[in-house]
Amino acid sequence: MEQIKTQRLQSLDILRGFDLFMLVALEPVLSGLLRTMNLPIGESILYHFSHEEWVGFRAWDLVMPLFLFMSGVSMPFSFAKFQEIPDKSAIYKRLFKRVALLWILGAVVQGNLLEFDLHTLSLYSNTLQAIAAGYLITAIIFLNIKSMKWQIVTAGVLLLLYWIPMTFLGDFTPEGNFAEKIDRVVLGRFRDGVVWTDGAWSFSPRYQYTWILSSLTFGVTVLMGAIAGSIMKNGKDRYRNSITLLIIGLVCIAVSLICHLQMPIIKKIWTCSMTLYSGGWCFLLMALFYFVIDCKGYSKGLNWLKFYGMNSIVAYMLGEVINFRSLVASVSPGWDQFLGADYYKVWLTFGNFLIIFFILQYLYKRKVFLRV
């Protein structure tokens, strides 16, 4: 933990906070409430609070790409003093430490690391590990290629390296895509979705996420964020910066829809078209938040999102690992007879959110932030 000493980009903290609030608070509470109320409009809302089964894109599919994108936005600010130093050993040491810690935290969240059982351990299966992979790729590019033009070219090369084997060595079905084949070979029994039954390993047909080859496109998503951060850091005219972000976002979406005709938008395997499509929306959201908050100086009613945004790893770990519902139940015994069983479950979820909110608020007011 450490205290923040430098001036931060306000829109970045608030947008990151918005993303984490959606993940750890709004979706669990709102989904539970809508299912309990069983309103006609509820199904339409719940549709966008779930992931697309395969081809396509829903609002909830943007949460993870935005998390990756935001990790890239901060890089031009945090790496600025290291780019001009010939000896980059210090930053690489810091970089690999960050990647290792993110990987371990990801294994705690979704890799079953704390079960201490090799039969349940997954090596690469979590958003934090995707951030680690994308962050490592982007950091190496960013530290060695200063020109934004060549950074964009490099992003194109990464997309090409993904596109070639996916197009010519497989198809775009859950079973036949090349990224799936790579994960089964490389990760083997340590892949998420692998089940140990009757003394044998078997791959679950229901698990369709891929990670090894998809690391290339994770890197592009983070690199797109770094490019957005460079635009905001180096551009002197903030209004013009926001327009640039807007235009890039629209171009990325347009190109992605053209690419979709050949390589479908599939979030589970992070296709090139999905990378550009989600990245385009990330640019648009960044443009909106940057224009409203940093250009116009309007943040009234939004600053509480910094509780999540400036402690995003803590918020994510609290939301995904620790369950405070039993604590809520212990201070509200018997409430189920008044609320009913279904609404009592909603209350437990809401109470869980409140406890996380107050922990993050306390850390924010004490200026204590987790630095990985």
Side-chain angles (χ1 to χ4, degrees):
M1 297 281 185
E2 66 180 22
Q3 292 188 349
I4 296 295
K5 298 179 181 180
T6 57
Q7 183 65 34
R8 297 173 65 88
L9 195 64
Q10 301 300 305
S11 56
L12 172 60
D13 290 326
I14 292 175
L15 179 55
R16 187 192 288 116
F18 171 75
D19 193 37
L20 268 295
F21 172 72
M22 290 281 290
L23 179 64
V24 305
L26 183 62
E27 187 276 335
V29 174
L30 186 59
S31 294
L33 184 61
L34 289 173
R35 289 190 181 94
T36 302
M37 295 177 70
N38 199 25
L39 298 174
I41 195 175
E43 287 300 318
S44 298
I45 298 174
L46 287 172
Y47 174 83
H48 284 287
F49 273 104
S50 61
H51 292 298
E52 187 61 67
E53 289 299 320
W54 191 244
V55 176
F57 200 85
R58 305 183 190 182
W60 198 241
D61 290 319
L62 187 60
V63 171
M64 182 177 170
L66 186 57
F67 203 175
L68 270 71
F69 184 90
M70 291 290 102
S71 70
V73 173
S74 61
M75 292 175 70
F77 300 90
S78 59
F79 283 12
K81 61 182 179 181
F82 295 102
Q83 278 188 309
E84 304 301 327
I85 300 176
D87 181 8
K88 293 183 172 59
S89 57
I91 184 59
Y92 278 121
K93 181 179 179 181
R94 175 180 169 184
L95 170 63
F96 286 115
K97 176 184 176 183
R98 178 182 177 87
V99 169
L101 287 175
L102 282 172
W103 209 278
I104 292 170
L105 291 176
V108 169
V109 173
Q110 201 164 329
N112 303 312
L113 179 64
L114 298 184
E115 289 188 13
F116 303 105
D117 184 355
L118 290 179
H119 293 101
T120 62
L121 180 64
S122 300
L123 291 180
Y124 191 0
S125 61
N126 181 260
T127 298
L128 294 182
Q129 294 169 332
I131 291 175
Y135 191 87
L136 176 62
I137 291 170
T138 299
I140 293 173
I141 294 170
F142 196 79
L143 288 170
N144 294 280
I145 302 176
K146 299 178 184 179
S147 167
M148 185 180 295
K149 179 183 73 174
W150 286 108
Q151 290 173 0
I152 294 172
V153 170
T154 305
V157 171
L158 291 176
L159 291 174
L160 188 63
L161 290 174
Y162 177 93
W163 176 82
I164 290 173
M166 289 293 289
T167 298
F168 298 106
L169 299 177
D171 53 36
F172 298 111
T173 63
E175 304 82 14
N177 70 84
F178 187 68
E180 171 75 14
K181 298 173 184 177
I182 290 292
D183 273 18
R184 291 195 177 201
V185 171
V186 176
L187 296 176
R189 65 189 180 95
F190 295 109
R191 182 176 187 251
D192 204 358
V194 176
V195 182
W196 173 263
T197 53
D198 299 326
W201 302 98
S202 61
F203 292 96
S204 170
R206 294 187 298 275
Y207 188 82
Q208 300 168 343
Y209 293 92
T210 60
W211 303 92
I212 301 297
L213 188 62
S214 298
S215 296
L216 295 172
T217 40
F218 294 158
V220 175
T221 299
V222 179
L223 183 55
M224 292 171 80
I227 290 170
S230 295
I231 291 170
M232 291 182 286
K233 178 179 180 294
N234 300 325
K236 296 181 180 179
D237 187 333
R238 289 187 170 183
Y239 176 77
R240 191 169 183 175
N241 292 345
S242 62
I243 296 297
T244 301
L245 294 173
L246 174 66
I247 293 173
I248 293 175
L250 293 174
V251 169
C252 286
I253 291 174
V255 173
S256 73
L257 294 176
I258 296 172
C259 293
H260 174 69
L261 300 174
Q262 187 272 325
M263 176 179 280
I265 294 173
I266 306 172
K267 189 254 183 182
K268 289 185 176 180
I269 58 176
W270 219 273
T271 58
C272 298
S273 54
M274 199 292 299
T275 303
L276 293 172
Y277 187 78
S278 61
W281 281 105
C282 290
F283 268 105
L284 294 182
L285 284 172
M286 191 74 257
L288 174 63
F289 277 67
Y290 180 76
F291 178 76
V292 172
I293 297 167
D294 289 309
C295 293
K296 294 298 183 181
Y298 182 84
S299 61
K300 186 177 180 181
L302 298 174
N303 284 315
W304 62 273
L305 288 170
K306 292 180 182 179
F307 302 165
Y308 296 87
M310 295 180 70
N311 251 329
S312 57
I313 302 298
V314 173
Y316 183 80
M317 295 296 292
L318 288 174
E320 296 294 314
V321 177
I322 303 178
N323 190 341
F324 293 105
R325 288 169 181 79
S326 58
L327 176 59
V328 179
S330 69
V331 297
S332 55
W335 285 27
D336 55 330
Q337 62 185 316
F338 303 108
L339 297 175
D342 292 334
Y343 280 103
Y344 184 65
K345 291 178 182 178
V346 175
W347 156 245
L348 295 180
T349 301
F350 181 70
N352 183 77
F353 148 68
L354 282 180
I355 291 173
I356 293 174
F357 177 85
F358 288 129
I359 290 174
L360 295 173
Q361 182 188 47
Y362 174 80
L363 293 175
Y364 178 84
K365 289 185 175 181
R366 295 293 298 269
K367 300 186 184 301
V368 177
F369 305 95
L370 176 63
R371 285 289 167 266
V372 176

